[in-house]
């Protein structure tokens, strides 16, 4: 059931880096994004795929991880993503991208979970650095990076009380806790 | 498989309006959005649900349908959505909503397809009118409307040749055709 997939699809930030993901798998995931809805069917999104240690390292160097864990600089060597899908907006097709990248990223991550992988959407990216390192032509706007790998952390959802603190946190066992608002608190009419 | 669900999840604009959708189903769909990723886990999204003819009519009056079919004013009475989920951004939580509404909408629509329903994301909304008609407090920004119902049209994907026309179109049998770029045309690295 879709609900199971959605519940399993937690944002993962530590991975078994030695478990490679091949290019074919990345293409299958992009295909899920490709077949998803696109504003006015303009299909403004373009993709850069990465699953080699060298390219992965370049991308990793431009990412910021887990804003709510300021003492944690991000996954250490050995626990980093095995692959990335960079989602770009093609400004020669449109200047605005609406929410197409969110739609596509969600399709791709659900597909990753179905393959016993996990991932995380990252919007905090040093865009100029990434554009330079990957030699991304100026016409493309970097929208979102999807990190992928074999999960090496446990993530649990818990109830966020009304007006409680929504920040995720880690316990002593390194389990990652994600407080989520209740259904009755987000439905306003 | 997820791919089947994604392929079945076409944007639907004509429905069996007499096939009602109950509030419980809408809540289940919102719950799929609730359990999906949210930028910095801020969970800025709030939802207004509609499945009564009166409320549906108010929402319908503020929507624009199918920009690529200028001669079609939208679904006629009898073919309109049976329900809506209005996705709002709560500006008291954040002033920006990233792409959270796309992520949530995709989860909800995949959930709708799993229930043999269909839907369409609509961003072309007379926002001031909708806010007035539904008495939406000023703190909420209208982000996206998800229309839902039992599909009453056939939608097919076809190959979009490079530099071809991406606009969807209808044939004489009223089948809706959606040209999609090829995987090799959207993967640039």
């Amino acid at each position: 059931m879709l609900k199971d997939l959605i519940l399993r699809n937690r944002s993962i930030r530590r991975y078994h880096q030695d478990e490679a993901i091949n290019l074919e798998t990345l293409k299958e995931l992009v295909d899920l994004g490709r077949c998803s809805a696109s504003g006015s069917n303009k299909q403004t999104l373009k993709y850069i795929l990465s699953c080699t240690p060298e390219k992965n390292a370049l991308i990793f160097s431009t990412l910021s991880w887990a804003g709510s864990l300021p003492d944690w600089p991000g996954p250490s060597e050995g626990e980093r993503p095995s692959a990335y899908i960079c989602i770009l907006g093609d400004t020669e097709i449109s200047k605005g991208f609406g929410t197409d990248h969110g739609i596509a990223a969600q399709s791709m991550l659900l597909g990753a979970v179905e393959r016993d992988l996990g991932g995380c959407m990252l919007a905090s990216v040093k865009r100029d650095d990434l554009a330079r390192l990957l030699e991304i032509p100026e016409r493309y706007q970097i929208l979102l990076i999807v990190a992928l790998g074999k999960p090496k952390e446990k993530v649990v959802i818990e109830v966020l009380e009304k007006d409680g603190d929504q920040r995720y946190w880690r316990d002593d066992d390194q389990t990652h806790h994600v407080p989520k608002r209740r259904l009755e608190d987000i439905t306003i009419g």
Side-chain angles (χ1 to χ4, degrees), chain A:
Chain A
M1 253 191 77
L2 179 69
K3 176 105 190 229
D4 300 324
L5 214 51
I6 282 179
L7 286 174
R8 274 168 60 205
N9 179 30
R10 300 296 94 218
S11 294
I12 299 293
R13 295 177 181 86
R14 288 170 294 182
Y15 305 89
H16 293 280
Q17 189 174 341
D18 54 352
E19 299 243 15
I21 296 176
N22 62 35
L23 197 59
E24 198 46 49
T25 299
L26 295 184
K27 287 182 180 173
E28 288 170 15
L29 298 181
V30 170
D31 203 46
L32 296 177
R34 184 183 77 85
C35 297
S36 299
S38 157
S40 304
N41 197 40
K42 282 189 182 163
Q43 305 166 73
T44 54
L45 304 180
K46 299 286 167 77
Y47 301 88
I48 292 178
L49 314 182
S50 173
C51 55
T52 64
E54 300 74 22
K55 199 168 176 181
N56 286 348
L58 294 178
I59 296 171
F60 180 82
S61 73
T62 69
L63 302 176
S64 295
W65 292 81
S68 295
L69 301 174
D71 296 336
W72 186 66
S76 35
E77 185 60 37
E79 296 189 336
R80 292 177 181 165
S82 314
Y84 296 93
I85 297 172
C86 305
I87 310 181
L88 314 174
D90 188 341
T91 64
E92 291 193 6
I93 300 175
S94 177
K95 302 299 176 203
F97 308 102
T99 190
D100 280 13
H101 44 304
I103 298 167
Q106 179 65 348
S107 293
M108 296 192 293
L109 279 176
L110 292 173
V113 172
E114 191 177 49
R115 288 160 178 78
D116 288 327
L117 299 171
C120 187
M121 301 183 202
L122 295 138
S124 189
V125 186
K126 290 175 194 145
R127 286 173 167 74
D128 290 346
D129 291 354
L130 185 59
R132 181 175 45 79
L133 290 167
L134 297 190
E135 298 177 6
I136 301 173
E138 261 190 39
R139 71 186 266 193
Y140 300 111
Q141 190 175 316
I142 297 166
L143 298 174
L144 205 57
I145 308 300
V146 177
L148 294 161
K150 192 88 175 173
K152 201 188 170 183
E153 65 178 3
K154 189 177 170 195
V155 181
V156 294
I157 288 180
E158 57 192 33
V159 173
L160 171 57
E161 297 298 332
K162 204 168 179 175
D163 304 319
D165 188 342
Q166 97 294 340
R167 284 178 296 181
Y168 47 79
W169 57 284
R170 282 195 194 145
D171 64 24
D172 293 342
D173 293 332
Q174 292 297 305
T175 296
H176 186 96
H177 296 254
V178 183
K180 286 285 188 194
R181 299 185 202 286
R182 291 175 297 207
L183 188 57
E184 55 265 38
D185 292 334
I186 60 174
T187 308
I188 62 162

